[in-house]
Amino acid sequence: EIVLTQSPAIMSLSPGERATLSCRASQSVGTSLGWYQQKPGKAPRLLVFDASKGAADLPGRFSGSGSGTDFTLTISSLEPEDFAVYYCQQGTNRPPWTFGQGTRLEIK
Amino acid sequence: QVQLVESGGGVVQPGTSLRLSCAASGFYFSTSAMHWVRQAPGKGPEWVAVIRYDGSNIFYADSVKGRFTISRDNPKNTLYLQMSSLRPEDTAVYYCAKDLYFYDYSGYSVDWGQGTLVTVTS
């Protein structure tokens, strides 16, 4: 089973700042990695798949990058609605599909 | 638009069974792979099971293998999760989710229901 480790666990930033979230896989997943955003009491929302492909209606300030074992989700200029928990998930074509433990992005 | 509505959750004792349902609308259910994903309180999501559009290629997480059964009724646009031998560690919000791909699965869940809470406690 592929283990995903996200860092940092908590990130405190102000609106307008740049956020860089990291996800490291225990073995190579190629570019088969996705990112989700989750707000309290809501289901996760798919933001990025295959490392850098944006899901439908993804705001342009979000971008994903990386390959192999190291991946990054970047939010170029934080909006108030971006403060949430972010999870990475490996999306290789065979299960099990695992999630990282999450990064909580909070307002500073 | 895509709508997924889970039902069937509740409070049950360890060792008992429960069946979850997910009513789908707003998309071609019969051409979509579907997942169950759960999330324990305060924890990250955990993928549980997947079923291909035609009911084939079913896979389970090791944590539920042999105890949970995923199935679908395409004419009724409904996904199911039959859970048996429930344990306290199965306590979670259970989401049904539509795979990003048509027909086959990618592993990514692009549309999610609101979830149904299952609590296993004595």
Side-chain angles (χ1 to χ4, degrees), chain B residues 11 25 28 30 32 39 44-45 48 56-57 73 78-79 93-95 98 109 111 116 122:
Chain B
V11 181
S25 61
Y28 291 108
S30 60
S32 297
Q39 189 167 26
V48 171
S56 67
N57 282 31
D73 187 332
T78 303
L79 178 73
V93 174
Y94 284 74
Y95 296 100
K98 174 182 168 298
S109 294
D111 295 290
T116 187
S122 54

Side-chain angles (χ1 to χ4, degrees), chain B residues 33 50-59 70 72 103-105:
Chain B
V50 66
I51 185 168
R52 208 158 158 257
Y53 75 102
D54 57 359
S56 67
N57 282 31
I58 289 174
F59 294 97
I70 187 173
R72 64 192 297 159
Y103 300 106
D104 208 342
Y105 39 72

Side-chain angles (χ1 to χ4, degrees), chain B residues 2 7 16 34 40-41 46 60 64 82 98-99 108 119-121:
Chain B
V2 173
S7 61
T16 60
M34 297 294 295
E46 178 191 13
Y60 299 96
V64 307
Q82 179 68 47
K98 174 182 168 298
D99 194 275
Y108 304 115
T119 303
V120 185
T121 180

